[in-house]
Amino acid sequence: HAQGHRDTSLAEHEDAVLAAWREVAPALLEGVLQLATTGLDKSARPLASRCPSCDQRRGVQSQRKRQLQTRLGPVRLQRWWHHCWKCGHGWSPPDQALGVMPYQQTSTGLTRWQAALGAVTTFREAARLLAELAGVEVGSETLRTQAERLGTKLEGQARAAMACVDQTHEPPVGEHDPAPGMLVVETDGVMVRYRDRHLDGVR
């Protein structure tokens, strides 16, 4: 790019570098995930895993593909899949390590972005802003679904916290860090209204 665009404007360089970054970012994230997550490294030997349901050790049944939309764009994963013949439970250790829930299609970070944008403007405009600012293409209906799902979850957490405070008169455990040292309470600027005469003018 630098050799082919000598002495061009900052805007042209900015657009080109940003486009190049957005093109390679998903592949870069995929590579990081493969190197950092057991069960995604294609060169590693498959390992047995304990069933989350009955705790029995089971070998790898197969490899399954999964795609997730992230803040860096779509990533495609080929991960180990286990199945317990005793209790019928299926699971993927890489999914567990990454904190990805069954049927989840959007990363937690991207869901937060979608909810934040969906809260301040229309879903169509939010999808346009997400594409322009982050280079992530998401349909307005998908954005609406994600924003409403996260909003419902946050509302439930807020209601649970309010119920806890109402019942115990204390914040939920772990909600806030305790204030260090000694706490001091003081009042300031008290004004008292008074009359030094009766209504008939006598003191």
Side-chain angles (χ1 to χ4, degrees), residues 20-184:
W21 161 247
R22 288 175 175 173
E23 185 175 350
V24 301
L28 177 61
L29 180 56
E30 282 184 19
V32 170
L33 295 177
Q34 289 173 2
L35 291 174
T37 310
T38 303
L40 293 182
D41 187 353
K42 298 177 182 179
S43 63
R45 180 174 61 87
L47 300 174
S49 175
R50 290 193 179 276
C51 174
S53 180
C54 66
D55 203 40
Q56 296 293 316
R57 291 185 66 83
R58 302 298 181 206
V60 174
Q61 182 197 53
S62 61
Q63 280 194 328
R64 295 190 180 184
K65 296 180 180 180
R66 182 167 193 175
Q67 178 169 314
L68 287 167
Q69 183 67 278
T70 75
R71 286 180 288 181
L72 298 181
V75 295
R76 297 166 182 83
L77 308 176
Q78 182 93 2
R79 76 261 200 265
W80 296 344
W81 184 261
H82 300 255
H83 183 79
C84 181
W85 55 267
K86 182 177 180 181
C87 67
H89 188 81
W91 73 98
S92 171
D95 288 356
Q96 294 173 331
L98 294 172
V100 178
M101 302 300 293
Y103 308 109
Q104 180 179 342
Q105 297 179 328
T106 305
S107 71
T108 302
L110 181 56
T111 299
R112 287 198 303 265
W113 278 7
Q114 291 173 341
L117 288 173
V120 297
T121 185
T122 65
F123 296 123
R124 185 182 299 275
E125 177 67 9
R128 187 192 69 77
L129 288 172
L130 195 59
E132 180 179 343
L133 300 178
V136 178
E137 299 286 345
V138 177
S140 59
E141 188 62 22
T142 299
L143 193 146
R144 181 192 65 79
T145 300
Q146 296 290 354
E148 290 180 351
R149 180 180 298 138
L150 182 58
T152 301
K153 179 180 178 181
L154 293 175
E155 182 182 10
Q157 292 174 349
R159 289 183 180 275
M162 290 168 61
C164 178
V165 172
D166 187 53
Q167 184 177 8
T168 65
H169 303 288
E170 295 287 342
V173 177
E175 186 78 13
H176 302 285
D177 295 330
M182 180 182 296
L183 298 181
V184 178

